[in-house]
Amino acid sequence: MANSDNVKSEAILDQMKLHLATDAGKNLVKKIGLVYQFRIAPKKLGFDEVVYTVDLKKGEVIKGPYEGGKPDATFSFKDDDFVKISLGKLNPQIAFMRGAMKIKGSLSAAQKFTPDIFPKPSKL
């Protein structure tokens, strides 16, 4: 049985932390300047969610809810769907229309959340 602290998305978000420290990451912060909160469920939306904050104002990724007020947009998805979206294998609009991704907050902020904000997987 999967532990809620052991979602596949965690590896992607750890990479995101490193990515935000690079020049490309710093450009993202300048360009986007929004705060996203991710609620990632191991198997079923709304259950055993792990919450992450991707702060593209400060350029940081934090495990836990955003503490600086309200995030600009909050996304909820299953771990597998988050992985597919972040790797560019699932279009965020299609995921939203299928109900695989739920959004709260500003839709215009949410539309700036694209697979481009994620670091590309390194080729081994």
Coordinates of all heavy atoms in Angstrom, one line a residue, residues 60-102:
E60 N 10.3 29.3 -4.9 CA 10.6 28.1 -4.0 C 9.4 27.1 -4.1 O 8.3 27.4 -4.5 CB 10.8 28.6 -2.6 CG 9.7 29.5 -2.0 CD 10.1 30.1 -0.6 OE1 11.3 30.2 -0.3 OE2 9.2 30.4 0.1
V61 N 9.7 25.9 -3.7 CA 8.8 24.8 -3.6 C 8.8 24.3 -2.2 O 9.8 24.0 -1.6 CB 9.2 23.6 -4.5 CG1 8.2 22.5 -4.4 CG2 9.2 24.1 -6.0
I62 N 7.6 24.3 -1.6 CA 7.5 23.9 -0.2 C 6.5 22.8 0.0 O 5.4 22.8 -0.7 CB 6.9 25.1 0.7 CG1 7.8 26.3 0.5 CG2 6.7 24.8 2.1 CD1 7.2 27.6 0.7
K63 N 6.8 21.8 0.8 CA 5.8 20.7 1.1 C 4.9 21.3 2.2 O 5.4 21.7 3.2 CB 6.5 19.5 1.5 CG 5.6 18.3 1.7 CD 6.3 17.0 1.9 CE 5.4 15.8 1.9 NZ 6.1 14.6 2.0
G64 N 3.7 21.5 1.9 CA 2.7 22.0 2.9 C 1.9 23.1 2.2 O 2.3 23.6 1.1
P65 N 0.9 23.6 2.9 CA 0.0 24.6 2.3 C 0.7 26.0 2.3 O 1.6 26.2 3.1 CB -1.2 24.7 3.2 CG -0.8 23.9 4.5 CD 0.4 23.1 4.2
Y66 N 0.3 26.9 1.4 CA 0.8 28.2 1.3 C 0.4 29.0 2.5 O -0.7 29.0 3.0 CB 0.2 28.9 0.0 CG 0.8 30.3 -0.2 CD1 2.1 30.5 -0.3 CD2 -0.1 31.3 -0.4 CE1 2.6 31.8 -0.5 CE2 0.3 32.6 -0.7 CZ 1.7 32.8 -0.7 OH 2.2 34.1 -1.0
E67 N 1.4 29.7 3.1 CA 1.1 30.4 4.4 C 1.1 31.9 4.2 O 0.9 32.7 5.1 CB 2.2 30.0 5.4 CG 2.0 28.5 5.8 CD 2.9 28.1 6.9 OE1 3.8 28.8 7.3 OE2 2.8 26.9 7.3
G68 N 1.3 32.4 3.0 CA 1.3 33.8 2.7 C 0.0 34.4 2.3 O 0.0 35.4 1.5
G69 N -1.1 33.8 2.7 CA -2.4 34.3 2.2 C -3.0 33.2 1.3 O -2.9 32.0 1.6
K70 N -3.7 33.6 0.3 CA -4.3 32.6 -0.6 C -3.5 32.4 -1.8 O -3.0 33.4 -2.4 CB -5.7 33.2 -1.1 CG -6.9 32.8 -0.3 CD -8.1 33.2 -1.1 CE -9.3 32.6 -0.5 NZ -10.6 33.1 -1.0
P71 N -3.3 31.2 -2.3 CA -2.6 30.9 -3.5 C -3.4 31.5 -4.7 O -4.6 31.6 -4.6 CB -2.4 29.4 -3.6 CG -3.5 28.9 -2.7 CD -3.8 29.9 -1.6
D72 N -2.7 31.8 -5.8 CA -3.4 32.4 -6.9 C -4.3 31.3 -7.6 O -5.4 31.6 -8.0 CB -2.4 32.9 -8.0 CG -1.7 34.1 -7.5 OD1 -2.3 35.1 -7.3 OD2 -0.4 34.0 -7.2
A73 N -3.9 30.0 -7.5 CA -4.7 28.9 -8.0 C -4.3 27.7 -7.3 O -3.1 27.5 -7.0 CB -4.5 28.7 -9.5
T74 N -5.2 26.8 -7.0 CA -5.0 25.5 -6.4 C -5.5 24.4 -7.3 O -6.6 24.5 -7.8 CB -5.8 25.4 -5.0 OG1 -5.3 26.4 -4.2 CG2 -5.6 24.1 -4.4
F75 N -4.6 23.5 -7.5 CA -4.9 22.3 -8.4 C -5.0 21.1 -7.6 O -4.2 20.9 -6.7 CB -3.8 22.1 -9.4 CG -3.6 23.3 -10.4 CD1 -2.7 24.3 -10.0 CD2 -4.3 23.4 -11.6 CE1 -2.5 25.4 -10.9 CE2 -4.1 24.4 -12.4 CZ -3.2 25.4 -12.1
S76 N -6.0 20.2 -7.9 CA -6.1 18.9 -7.3 C -6.0 17.9 -8.3 O -6.7 18.0 -9.3 CB -7.4 18.8 -6.5 OG -7.5 19.8 -5.5
F77 N -5.2 16.9 -8.1 CA -5.1 15.8 -9.1 C -4.6 14.5 -8.4 O -4.0 14.6 -7.3 CB -4.3 16.0 -10.3 CG -3.4 17.2 -10.4 CD1 -2.5 17.5 -9.3 CD2 -3.4 18.0 -11.5 CE1 -1.7 18.6 -9.4 CE2 -2.5 19.1 -11.6 CZ -1.6 19.3 -10.5
K78 N -4.8 13.4 -9.1 CA -4.2 12.1 -8.6 C -2.7 12.2 -9.0 O -2.3 12.8 -10.0 CB -4.8 10.9 -9.3 CG -6.2 10.7 -8.8 CD -6.8 9.4 -9.3 CE -6.6 9.2 -10.7 NZ -7.6 8.4 -11.4
D79 N -1.9 11.5 -8.3 CA -0.4 11.5 -8.5 C -0.1 11.2 -9.9 O 0.7 11.9 -10.5 CB 0.1 10.4 -7.5 CG 1.7 10.5 -7.4 OD1 2.2 11.6 -7.5 OD2 2.2 9.4 -7.3
D80 N -0.7 10.1 -10.5 CA -0.3 9.7 -11.8 C -0.7 10.8 -12.8 O 0.1 11.0 -13.8 CB -1.1 8.4 -12.2 CG -0.6 7.2 -11.5 OD1 0.6 7.2 -11.0 OD2 -1.3 6.2 -11.5
D81 N -1.8 11.5 -12.7 CA -2.2 12.5 -13.6 C -1.2 13.7 -13.5 O -0.9 14.3 -14.5 CB -3.6 13.0 -13.4 CG -4.6 11.9 -13.7 OD1 -4.3 11.1 -14.7 OD2 -5.7 11.8 -13.1
F82 N -0.8 14.0 -12.3 CA 0.1 15.1 -12.1 C 1.5 14.8 -12.8 O 2.0 15.7 -13.5 CB 0.4 15.4 -10.6 CG 1.5 16.4 -10.4 CD1 1.2 17.8 -10.5 CD2 2.8 16.1 -10.1 CE1 2.2 18.7 -10.3 CE2 3.8 17.0 -9.9 CZ 3.4 18.4 -10.0
V83 N 1.9 13.6 -12.7 CA 3.2 13.2 -13.3 C 3.0 13.3 -14.9 O 3.9 13.9 -15.5 CB 3.5 11.7 -12.9 CG1 4.7 11.2 -13.8 CG2 3.9 11.7 -11.5
K84 N 1.9 12.8 -15.4 CA 1.6 12.9 -16.9 C 1.6 14.4 -17.3 O 2.2 14.7 -18.4 CB 0.3 12.3 -17.2 CG 0.4 10.7 -17.2 CD -1.0 10.2 -17.5 CE -1.1 8.7 -17.1 NZ -2.4 8.2 -17.0
I85 N 0.9 15.3 -16.6 CA 0.9 16.7 -16.9 C 2.3 17.3 -16.9 O 2.7 18.0 -17.8 CB -0.1 17.4 -16.0 CG1 -1.6 17.0 -16.3 CG2 0.0 18.9 -16.2 CD1 -2.6 17.4 -15.3
S86 N 3.0 17.1 -15.8 CA 4.3 17.7 -15.7 C 5.3 17.2 -16.7 O 6.2 17.9 -17.0 CB 4.8 17.6 -14.2 OG 5.0 16.2 -13.9
L87 N 5.1 16.0 -17.2 CA 6.0 15.5 -18.2 C 5.6 15.8 -19.6 O 6.2 15.4 -20.6 CB 6.2 14.0 -18.1 CG 6.8 13.5 -16.8 CD1 6.8 12.0 -16.8 CD2 8.3 14.0 -16.7
G88 N 4.4 16.5 -19.7 CA 3.9 16.9 -21.0 C 3.2 15.8 -21.7 O 2.9 15.9 -22.9
K89 N 2.8 14.8 -21.0 CA 2.1 13.6 -21.6 C 0.6 13.7 -21.6 O -0.1 13.0 -22.2 CB 2.6 12.3 -21.0 CG 4.0 12.0 -21.3 CD 4.5 10.7 -20.6 CE 5.9 10.5 -21.0 NZ 6.5 9.4 -20.3
L90 N 0.1 14.7 -20.8 CA -1.3 14.9 -20.7 C -1.5 16.5 -20.7 O -0.9 17.2 -19.9 CB -1.8 14.3 -19.4 CG -3.3 14.6 -19.0 CD1 -4.2 14.0 -20.1 CD2 -3.6 13.9 -17.7
N91 N -2.3 16.9 -21.6 CA -2.6 18.3 -21.7 C -3.4 18.8 -20.5 O -4.4 18.2 -20.2 CB -3.4 18.6 -23.1 CG -3.7 20.0 -23.3 OD1 -4.4 20.6 -22.5 ND2 -3.3 20.5 -24.4
P92 N -3.0 19.9 -19.9 CA -3.8 20.3 -18.7 C -5.2 20.7 -19.0 O -6.1 20.4 -18.2 CB -3.0 21.6 -18.2 CG -1.7 21.5 -18.8 CD -1.8 20.7 -20.1
Q93 N -5.5 21.2 -20.1 CA -6.9 21.6 -20.5 C -7.7 20.3 -20.6 O -8.9 20.2 -20.2 CB -7.0 22.4 -21.8 CG -6.6 23.8 -21.6 CD -5.1 24.1 -21.8 OE1 -4.3 23.1 -22.1 NE2 -4.7 25.3 -21.6
I94 N -7.2 19.3 -21.2 CA -7.9 18.0 -21.4 C -8.1 17.4 -20.0 O -9.2 16.9 -19.7 CB -7.1 17.1 -22.4 CG1 -7.2 17.7 -23.8 CG2 -7.7 15.7 -22.3 CD1 -6.3 17.0 -24.8
A95 N -7.1 17.4 -19.2 CA -7.2 16.8 -17.8 C -8.3 17.5 -17.1 O -9.1 16.9 -16.4 CB -5.9 17.0 -17.1
F96 N -8.4 18.9 -17.2 CA -9.4 19.6 -16.5 C -10.8 19.2 -17.1 O -11.8 19.0 -16.3 CB -9.2 21.1 -16.7 CG -10.2 22.0 -16.1 CD1 -10.3 22.1 -14.7 CD2 -11.1 22.7 -16.9 CE1 -11.3 22.9 -14.2 CE2 -12.1 23.5 -16.3 CZ -12.2 23.6 -15.0
M97 N -10.9 19.2 -18.4 CA -12.3 18.8 -19.0 C -12.7 17.4 -18.6 O -13.9 17.2 -18.5 CB -12.2 19.0 -20.5 CG -12.2 20.4 -20.9 SD -12.4 20.7 -22.7 CE -10.7 20.3 -23.3
R98 N -11.8 16.5 -18.5 CA -12.1 15.1 -18.1 C -12.3 15.0 -16.6 O -12.7 13.9 -16.1 CB -10.9 14.2 -18.4 CG -10.8 13.9 -19.9 CD -9.7 12.9 -20.1 NE -9.4 12.6 -21.5 CZ -8.2 12.2 -21.9 NH1 -7.3 11.9 -21.0 NH2 -8.0 12.0 -23.2
G99 N -12.1 16.0 -15.8 CA -12.3 15.9 -14.4 C -11.1 15.3 -13.7 O -11.1 15.0 -12.5
A100 N -10.0 15.1 -14.4 CA -8.8 14.6 -13.8 C -8.0 15.6 -13.0 O -7.1 15.3 -12.2 CB -7.9 14.0 -14.9
M101 N -8.3 16.9 -13.3 CA -7.7 18.0 -12.6 C -8.8 19.0 -12.2 O -9.6 19.4 -13.0 CB -6.7 18.7 -13.5 CG -6.0 19.9 -12.9 SD -4.6 20.5 -13.9 CE -5.6 21.4 -15.2
K102 N -8.8 19.4 -10.9 CA -9.7 20.4 -10.4 C -9.0 21.7 -10.1 O -7.8 21.6 -9.7 CB -10.4 19.9 -9.2 CG -11.1 18.5 -9.4 CD -12.5 18.5 -8.8 CE -13.2 17.2 -8.9 NZ -13.5 16.7 -10.2

